[in-house]
């Protein structure tokens, strides 16, 4: 990116929003720009504003989840991904992202379910296959450990 481009893009989006404060896609675009410039809190606010205006904007919900995850707010990211998946059940990426969160939360059975669904939607994705294998192994280990504790 050339110097000044993010700032000019921000000014252009601010202008668009001053003209039409109900322009949800401008809030979403400004959120994406904020993510790219490292302003995660601002990004989350813009994504949430876009969703308040257009509740079925699944891309804003998915982007909000990514920003929340990057901030370390795992529970909020999970809520945003659940919201995005209510709108778009055909996105392998959304299921994969939620599966990663479930692994972070040490819920391998849920992660396995999401990775399996993602792989059903994108059967040639080798990264999804590897994630599914990781979740299965973690789930098997958890089940073996639980059985040993009885």
């Amino acid at each position: 990116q050339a110097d000044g481009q993010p700032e000019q893009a921000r000014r252009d989006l601010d202008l668009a929003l001053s003209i039409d404060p109900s322009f949800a896609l401008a809030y979403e675009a400004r959120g994406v720009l904020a993510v790219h410039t490292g302003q995660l809190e601002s990004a989350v606010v813009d994504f949430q504003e876009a969703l308040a205006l257009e509740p079925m904007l699944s891309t804003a919900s998915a982007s909000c989840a990514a920003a929340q995850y990057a901030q370390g707010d795992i529970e909020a990211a999970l809520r945003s991904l659940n919201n995005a998946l209510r709108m778009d059940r055909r996105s392998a990426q959304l299921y994969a992202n939620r599966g990663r969160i479930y692994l972070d939360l040490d819920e391998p059975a849920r992660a396995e379910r999401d990775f399996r669904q993602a792989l059903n939607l994108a059967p040639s994705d080798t990264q999804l296959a590897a994630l599914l294998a990781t979740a299965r192994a973690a789930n098997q280990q958890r089940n073996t450990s639980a059985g040993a504790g009885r």
Side-chain angles (χ1 to χ4, degrees), residues 1 23 42 71-72 84 118 145:
Q1 288 184 359
F23 190 17
S42 178
Q71 286 180 303
S145 296

Side-chain angles (χ1 to χ4, degrees), residues 24-25 27-29 31-32 35 43-44 46-52 54-69 73 75-88 91 94 97 101:
L25 293 177
Y27 282 105
E28 181 182 24
V32 170
V35 167
V44 169
D46 280 338
F47 293 135
Q48 289 173 337
E49 185 63 33
L51 287 164
E54 291 285 336
M56 296 305 291
L57 197 56
S58 66
T59 54
S61 194
S63 295
C64 189
Q68 291 163 325
Y69 186 84
D73 193 347
E75 294 294 332
L78 182 58
R79 285 191 302 274
S80 291
L81 278 172
N82 287 338
N83 186 48
L85 279 162
R86 278 192 289 280
M87 295 178 251
D88 182 4
S91 172
L94 292 176
N97 289 349
I101 287 177

Side-chain angles (χ1 to χ4, degrees), residues 114-125:
D114 276 355
F115 293 138
R116 188 178 308 109
Q117 181 62 29
L119 200 54
N120 285 339
L121 294 167
S124 62
D125 190 323

Side-chain angles (χ1 to χ4, degrees), residues 95-108:
Y95 283 104
N97 289 349
R98 190 171 70 176
R100 286 183 185 98
I101 287 177
Y102 283 138
L103 282 179
D104 287 349
L105 294 173
D106 195 29
E107 296 185 32

Side-chain angles (χ1 to χ4, degrees), residues 112 132-142:
E112 183 178 343
L132 177 58
T134 299
R136 282 183 176 153
N139 198 26
Q140 181 64 37
Q141 182 178 4
R142 180 176 228 193

